[in-house]
C-alpha cells in the first residue's frame, strides 16, 4: 500500500485548518530514507484550546473520528478513518523532545500535493525513540542510526566538494 495519498489528504486538512503539527516517528524516518514501515502517522502539536479545535476541524474534513485513548496516560489524540485505514496520532507530549519550537527548528517542510508538512529530523526521531525506551522503538534504532550516518557522510562529502569549487 502506498501511504502517499493518505499523507496528502492529511497534509491538505492540516493546512486548511491552519494546524501546525510535526510528523515524527517511523513515518518521518521513512521520509528521510530509512527502510522502516508503519501503519500510522504520528504528529506532535502544541496543546492549546485553539489547536484542539483545529484538530477537530481536521477530523471533520477527513470524515474521521477523533478518539482519546487512555493508554498510556498522555496527551494523545487519535484520528481514525475506517474506510481506508487512515490513523494519525497527535501527541502533546513526546519523549526526548524539549519543546515544540526546538523540534520545529530542526524540521524540514515537505510538499505533498501542494500542502506542506513539517517532518522532524532523523536525529530527533532517533532521540525520541531512545528516550521512549520501548522495545518497538529500540528495535529500529540500529537501522535509523545507520541511515543517519550514511546521510551525514553524504552531506559532508557534498560540502567538501562545494568548498573545493566542485559541484
Amino acid at each position: 500500500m502506498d501511504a502517499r495519498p493518505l499523507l496528502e489528504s492529511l497534509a491538505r486538512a492540516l493546512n486548511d485548518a491552519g494546524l501546525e503539527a510535526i510528523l515524527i516517528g517511523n513515518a518521518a524516518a521513512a521520509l528521510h530514507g530509512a527502510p522502516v514501515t508503519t501503519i500510522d502517522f504520528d504528529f506532535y502539536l502544541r496543546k492549546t484550546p485553539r489547536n484542539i479545535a483545529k484538530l477537530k476541524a481536521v477530523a471533520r474534513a477527513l470524515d474521521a473520528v477523533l478518539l482519546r485513548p487512555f493508554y498510556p496516560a498522555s496527551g494523545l489524540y487519535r484520528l481514525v478513518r475506517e474506510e481506508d485505514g487512515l490513523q494519525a496520532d497527535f501527541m502533546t507530549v513526546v519523549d526526548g523532545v524539549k519543546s515544540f519550537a526546538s523540534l520545529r527548528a530542526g524540521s524540514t517542510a515537505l510538499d505533498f500535493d501542494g500542502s506542506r508538512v513539517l517532518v522532524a529530523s532523523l536525529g530527533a526521531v532517533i532521540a525520541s525513540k531512545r528516550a521512549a525506551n520501548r522495545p518497538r522503538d529500540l528495535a529500529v534504532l540500529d537501522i535509523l542510526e545507520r541511515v543517519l550516518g550514511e546521510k551525514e557522510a553524504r552531506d559532508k562529502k557534498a560540502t567538501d566538494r562545494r568548498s573545493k569549487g566542485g559541484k
Side-chain angles (χ1 to χ4, degrees):
M1 176 184 171
D2 180 4
R4 188 171 190 87
L6 294 176
L7 190 51
E8 287 172 352
S9 64
L10 251 174
R12 190 171 27 265
L14 289 168
N15 282 232
D16 289 350
L19 179 59
E20 187 177 43
I22 303 169
L23 185 65
I24 59 174
N26 281 349
L31 289 171
H32 284 292
V36 294
T37 59
T38 185
I39 59 167
D40 68 346
F41 301 100
D42 297 324
F43 289 90
Y44 180 47
L45 77 155
R46 287 187 187 115
K47 185 177 182 180
T48 67
R50 182 75 181 124
N51 278 350
I52 301 308
K54 289 176 181 181
L55 184 54
K56 290 176 182 178
V58 168
R60 282 191 303 276
L62 292 170
D63 289 324
V65 294
L66 195 58
L67 307 168
R68 288 293 313 269
F70 293 124
Y71 62 94
S74 67
L76 173 68
Y77 297 82
R78 177 164 288 160
L79 185 145
V80 178
R81 185 171 63 194
E82 288 193 31
E83 71 187 48
D84 59 4
L86 173 63
Q87 180 178 313
D89 290 340
F90 291 83
M91 293 164 267
T92 61
V93 176
V94 176
D95 292 313
V97 175
K98 294 176 187 161
S99 69
F100 185 87
S102 67
L103 185 62
R104 183 179 59 199
S107 296
T108 303
L110 296 181
D111 181 83
F112 289 90
D113 195 32
S115 297
R116 183 178 145 254
V117 173
L118 287 174
V119 180
S121 70
L122 189 52
V125 172
I126 291 168
S128 176
K129 288 184 175 295
R130 185 173 285 120
N133 202 34
R134 295 177 299 211
R136 67 176 181 251
D137 292 318
L138 298 175
V140 298
L141 276 181
D142 286 344
I143 294 167
L144 300 184
E145 288 170 340
R146 180 179 45 80
V147 170
L148 180 60
E150 292 168 358
K151 183 179 186 306
E152 289 172 343
R154 279 192 311 273
D155 291 349
K156 183 180 181 330
K157 189 174 181 179
T159 301
D160 290 347
R161 238 189 341 256
R162 280 193 302 273
S163 68
K164 292 178 183 175
K167 291 185 180 186

